[in-house]
Amino acid sequence: MLPVDSLDPTRLSDLLGEQVVNVEAVGGGDICQAHKASMGHGRAVFVKTRSQAPEGFFESEANGLARLGSAPGGAPVPRVLAANTECLVLEWIAPEPPSALAAERFGRALAATHRSGNAVFGSDTGDGWIGTLHLPGGPWPDWPTMWAAGRLEPYLRAARDNGSVSKRDAADVSRVIDNISHLAGPAEPPALIHGDLWAGNVLWGQDGRCWLVDPAAHGGHRESDLAMLTLFGLPHLERVLSSYHEASPLADGWRDRVPVHQLHPILVHAVLFGGSYGPRAGQLARLALSG
């Protein structure tokens, strides 16, 4: 196994079957440690580790990348080079500043990913992960049932238990759960979605494409991915949304439903980080109910 506090180039070389000459830490989020490993012939790879990662953590991410990568014409994902209980190794994506052209391409590619579809709402391969939290796999008979039972109730309960959401805010989120069938909009078949598509999980590459990383891939509602993109400020967001809508028109009123879809990631953040996320969940619930 690879040590998770400092990556030994020799042991990483053994895992990859190729000489690693240098390993350096890079930015990679709050959950895992991220490293850039340079190979003997100049190629670089991305290595992600987590101390005491639960069983199946990195394997689940690798499977999600493979599933997203299989979508014809869809948004690209890095190739998985190795995965075990303590690390995930991906091809290195050379970065480039965001551009309007890349955003337009991304909107069309994300629409193709979603159109490739999924057999069920949720997963037919078991539970997954979002951050460090379990993500219930289901499957469920329809999206409103999945959203209420698998995406809102578990995290609202956890946020109440850790005190990060007030009684009033929890009550308003519960009202959304009770009324989800009326708030969900027109029924759609399960789309293949990224499932955790905030701006930090979109890599702007030198090849002019936007690459998807860190998925919680499953069958869901395509509006969930789009709502997540709006949550933390993706560059050129309106260009992404307009090209997406041209490629795969969205149902009327989709912008009004954004708060419904943002409730899940905000509740996840309330459980993980507390702070202002609990009150924000209440605000989103009230917006959803008034929409």
Side-chain angles (χ1 to χ4, degrees):
M1 296 296 183
L2 293 170
V4 294
D5 51 351
S6 60
L7 288 177
D8 181 343
T10 300
R11 298 180 70 176
L12 184 56
S13 298
D14 292 340
L15 177 66
L16 297 175
E18 188 175 353
Q19 183 184 12
V20 176
V21 297
N22 184 60
V23 176
E24 58 183 298
V26 294
D30 300 313
I31 304 301
C32 297
Q33 295 76 48
H35 311 266
K36 179 180 181 181
S38 302
M39 318 304 284
H41 50 73
R43 185 169 70 102
V45 299
F46 177 82
V47 187
K48 182 176 180 179
T49 63
R50 177 185 165 193
S51 179
Q52 298 179 334
E55 185 70 28
F57 182 79
F58 288 119
E59 291 87 347
S60 176
E61 183 174 338
N63 291 337
L65 287 168
R67 180 71 182 90
L68 292 170
S70 70
V77 302
R79 185 162 52 97
V80 177
L81 304 177
N84 62 20
T85 58
E86 294 181 348
C87 77
L88 177 68
V89 185
L90 307 175
E91 68 173 307
W92 180 263
I93 305 302
E96 183 80 5
S99 70
L101 180 58
E104 183 175 325
R105 291 171 176 164
F106 178 48
R108 292 194 296 266
L110 183 61
T113 298
H114 290 167
R115 280 197 308 270
S116 70
N118 200 68
V120 297
F121 284 103
S123 171
D124 52 11
T125 58
D127 293 351
W129 303 90
I130 185 160
T132 58
L133 305 178
H134 276 94
L135 186 70
W140 287 271
D142 52 47
W143 183 80
T145 303
M146 185 192 82
W147 205 244
R151 298 298 179 267
L152 298 184
E153 287 178 352
Y155 305 98
L156 175 60
R157 184 167 56 250
R160 278 196 304 242
D161 289 347
N162 71 11
S164 60
V165 63
S166 70
K167 288 184 178 180
R168 182 208 174 187
D169 291 334
D172 287 334
V173 175
S174 293
R175 289 173 58 208
V176 172
I177 293 171
D178 293 341
N179 290 278
I180 192 63
S181 295
H182 303 292
L183 300 173
E188 294 194 359
L192 174 62
I193 69 169
H194 178 283
D196 192 11
L197 195 56
W198 71 288
N201 286 342
V202 178
L203 301 183
W204 301 77
Q206 281 186 358
D207 62 355
R209 297 188 294 172
C210 291
W211 296 67
L212 303 181
V213 296
D214 296 347
H218 63 278
H221 199 304
R222 59 201 181 113
E223 291 177 14
S224 297
D225 270 354
L226 300 181
M228 187 70 168
L229 285 175
T230 71
L231 196 53
F232 297 113
L234 182 79
H236 304 289
L237 175 62
E238 286 304 317
R239 194 72 172 263
V240 173
L241 296 176
S242 63
S243 63
Y244 182 103
H245 186 65
E246 289 174 5
S248 290
L250 294 154
D252 290 345
W254 71 270
R255 288 186 185 270
D256 295 331
R257 292 186 291 274
V258 165
V260 176
H261 291 271
Q262 289 181 341
L263 257 179
H264 171 237
I266 287 298
L267 285 171
V268 168
H269 278 68
V271 175
L272 291 174
F273 307 116
S276 64
Y277 290 112
R280 190 165 183 190
Q283 293 169 358
L284 285 173
R286 290 184 283 278
L287 281 173
L289 292 163
S290 66

